Amino acid sequence: MSGEAKLDILTRINRAQARQQEPFARVPVRPSARPRGEVVEQFAEYAAEYRANVVRVPAAQLAGAVRDRLALLGSGRVAIPGDLPAGWLPPEWPFTPDEPGVTDLTAVQSVVTGCAVAIAETGTVVLDHGAGQGRRALTLVPDHHICVVWEAQVVDSVPEAVAHLRESVVRGQPLTWISGPSATSDIELSRVEGVHGPRVLDLLLVREA
Amino acid sequence: MSAGGIKPARTFQQAAKVTLANPQMRRNLRHATTVIREKRERAVAELLDWEALRDEGAAVKDHVMARLSEYLLDLESAVKARGGHVHWARDAAEARGIVAGIAEGHGAREVIKVKSISTDEIELNAALSERGIHAIETDLAELIVQLAEDRPSHILVPAIHRNRAEIRDLFRRKLGAELLTDEPKALAEAARLYLREKFLTTKVAVSGANFAVAESGTVCVVESEGNGRMCVTMPDVLISVMGIEKVVPTWQDLAVFMRLLPRSSTAERMNPYTSFWSGVTPGDGPQEFHLVLLDNGRTDVLADEVGRQTLRCIRCSACLNVCPVYERAGGHAYGSVYPGPIGAILTPQLLHLEDKNANTLPWASSLCGACYDACPVKINIPEVLLYLRGKITEEKPLSVEAVAFKTAAWVMSEPHRFEGAIRLARTGQGPLVRNGAIHALPGMLGGWTDTRDLPAFPPQTFREWWRKRPAPQVRGDDGNAQTSEGEPVAPERTDDRGPV
C-alpha cells in the first residue's frame, strides 16, 4: 500500500513541478571579520539576556566555578557524561557518571557538560552529544544544567555554527540547540522559565590560559 | 478536541461575525499582535542582511519545489540508512491510518504529542481517539486548548484568546490542580507536574517537523518549552508527520532558516530549544523512528504556477501578526488550522478550490500587503489572494453577483443611464438611510451590508453641482476676474453647496 502511495505522490510531483529550474547559488559562509573579544563579549551578553547565568572564568579556576554553582543550588545528586574531563570538576564533589538505562535521571538535580559550539549572534550553545556532552536526556530531565563553553568555541554567526556542525550531522549525531533555560510565553505572553527542560542554565565561559 | 482540520464549517464572513462580537478575544489579540510586531522589528533590524536572507530563503524553497521528488527520495534513503522508517501518505486518511497503525502495533493507549499543525491538519487526535488511543498535547498552549475542548486561534500562541483566570479554572477542573493564584508561573508549574509523568511513562510520541534535510536525513523541531525535546527524546517510539514541502536539500540550508524562523515568529534571536535527529541513535533517544511524508493536496498546489509559492511557507506566523483583518476577526474566523493571510491562501488550495466555505477565505483581506512585507520567504500573499479570487469567481456559474455586475457595466457605460440610475437610487434609498449610512440592504443586495455599512447617496452629485454652478471665472488681461465672455464678476464664492 505504501509503495503505491509513494509512486502516486512522486508521479503527481513530477507532473506538477516547474519545468524550468531556477538557477540557484548558495551564499558562501563569510568568516567573521570582527575581533574575537567582541564576538565572545556579545555571546556573553546575549546568552544573559536569555536569562542564562553567564560566569566568565580563567581556565585555572574552572573547577572552582563548578563548585560555586553547585553549592549555590544545594547538595542534590550531580550527574556527568562518563567522558567529561576530570580537570573541569572539583575533586571533592561526588559526581555520578551517567549510564543510559541505569541512571535514574529524575533523581538527579544538576548536570555538568561541555558543548560543541556557541553562537554570538543569538546567545546559543549547541550540543552535538559528542565527547563530554552525554546523551540528550541527560541535559533535559534534571533541573539544573551547567554547561562549559570555551571561548575558542564561540563563533560569530549562525551560518558559521552550521558549517562547524556539518561533520556531526553527516555522522548522524543528534543536536540540541539551547538558548537560555526552558521558557514559555503561552499565558498572556508573560515569560515563565522552566516549563519542562532545566529551570536553571549556567554557562561557564572559560578564558584559555 | 484541539484538532480541527482544514475544512471551515461556515464562510469567513459568517464566522467573523461571531468572533468580532467577542471583545475579550479582540483585546488579547490586539495586545499579542502589537507586542510581537514591535519586538519583531527590532529582531529583524539586528541582521543587516535581512533582505538578502529573505531572498535566499525564497530561492532555497523554490529550488526544492523544482526538484521535490529528487529531494524526497534522498531524504527517504538517508532516514532509512540511519535506521528510520519512511511512509508516504497521499491524503489525511492515509496519514491517520499510518500513525494509528504504528501506535496500535505497540499497544499504546496514550501517545504524547508536541505541537504540530500537520497533525491538526489531518485531524489525528480524533482518529486516534476513535481507536481508543488518547493523544496528549504537551505544548502548554495546546494543552490549554485541548482541555478546554477549544480550537487554536494562532499558529504560535494557540491559546492567546484565553486569559489567566480562565486557564486557572480549567486546570482546577480538568487536572485537579490546587491553584491558589492565577500567576502564569503557578499555571506553568501545574502543567509541568501533570506532563512530566506523561513524558517519563509514555512509550509513543508524535511530532511534526519544521525542516528535514535531504542529504543527511536530519529532522528538526523548533520550540521553547522543552516539551519538544521531551517528546523526541524520552519515548521508545517516535512518529514525525511532515508536509512534503518541508524538505531542504543540504544541512547548510538550515543556516538560512534558523535565522529567518525565530526572528519572524517569536521575534527572538533564537528560540530556546531546537532538536535535530537523524534516524535513530544507539543508546540515545527513541530506538524506533517513523517519518510520515504527507501530500494531502500539496502536489496540486505545486502544480499551480501562481499558487506554488504558498509551499515556501515555514509556518512562522509573521503574516498573522501584521494582518489588520486577523487582528480583529481572530484565528477562529478562518475555520481552519491555518489562520490568517497564509491560511486564506493555503486552505482553499489544499481543498482544491472546491469547498464553498474555504473559498470565501481569499476575500478575508484588505489587500494592504503587510503580510507580503513581513513574510521571511517572500510569499506574495496579495498576488495569490487576487489570483484565487479570480479563479473562484470564474468557476462559478452565472451568479446573481455576475448578473449584477454585468448590469452595472451596462448602466455605467452611458452617462445618461448612470445619472438616471443615481436619481432612482437617491429616491429609493429614503427609508433605508440612518445617520447618513445604509446599514442593511434588502433582499439579495443584503450581502453587501453584512460586513460593512454603505454610505448613503448624497443629495447632489458632482455633475449636478457642476451644471448649476455660476459661470467659471477666468482672469482677464487686466488681472481682474471676468467671465469667459469677458464680463467682470464678483470675486465671492456663491453659497451654492458643492458636492457633499
Side-chain angles (χ1 to χ4, degrees), chain A residues 8 12 26 121 170 182, chain B residues 82 90 225 253 259 295:
Chain A
D8 269 0
R12 289 181 199 171
R26 287 189 177 76
E121 180 184 284
V170 169
S182 156
Chain B
R82 300 257 173 241
R90 279 167 287 206
E225 294 173 9
D253 295 319
R259 292 175 114 187
D295 179 349

Side-chain angles (χ1 to χ4, degrees), chain B residues 359-375:
Chain B
N359 284 358
T360 63
L361 290 171
W363 279 267
S365 170
S366 64
L367 300 177
C368 72
C371 48
Y372 182 26
D373 290 339
C375 179

Side-chain angles (χ1 to χ4, degrees), chain B residues 219-284:
Chain B
V219 183
C220 157
V221 164
V222 177
E223 48 125 7
S224 293
E225 294 173 9
N227 63 306
R229 289 181 69 188
M230 286 284 185
C231 285
V232 307
T233 310
M234 303 309 289
D236 299 336
V237 181
L238 172 61
I239 309 164
S240 301
V241 181
M242 65 170 252
I244 50 174
E245 80 282 15
K246 296 281 182 84
V247 65
V248 299
T250 70
W251 166 249
Q252 194 63 42
D253 295 319
L254 265 304
V256 181
F257 296 109
M258 289 309 293
R259 292 175 114 187
L260 285 175
L261 180 57
R263 288 178 202 259
S264 300
S265 58
T266 47
E268 292 172 297
R269 294 186 182 116
M270 188 59 75
N271 50 292
Y273 292 136
T274 306
S275 300
F276 295 92
W277 69 96
S278 312
V280 297
T281 308
D284 184 350

Side-chain angles (χ1 to χ4, degrees), chain B residues 12-13 325 344 358-366 385-386 388-393 396 401 452:
Chain B
F12 176 82
Q13 289 75 6
V325 175
N359 284 358
T360 63
L361 290 171
W363 279 267
S365 170
S366 64
L385 283 167
L386 281 175
L388 293 177
R389 286 183 188 186
K391 277 187 85 163
I392 291 164
T393 312
K396 274 189 195 160
E401 192 183 8
R452 52 170 104 58

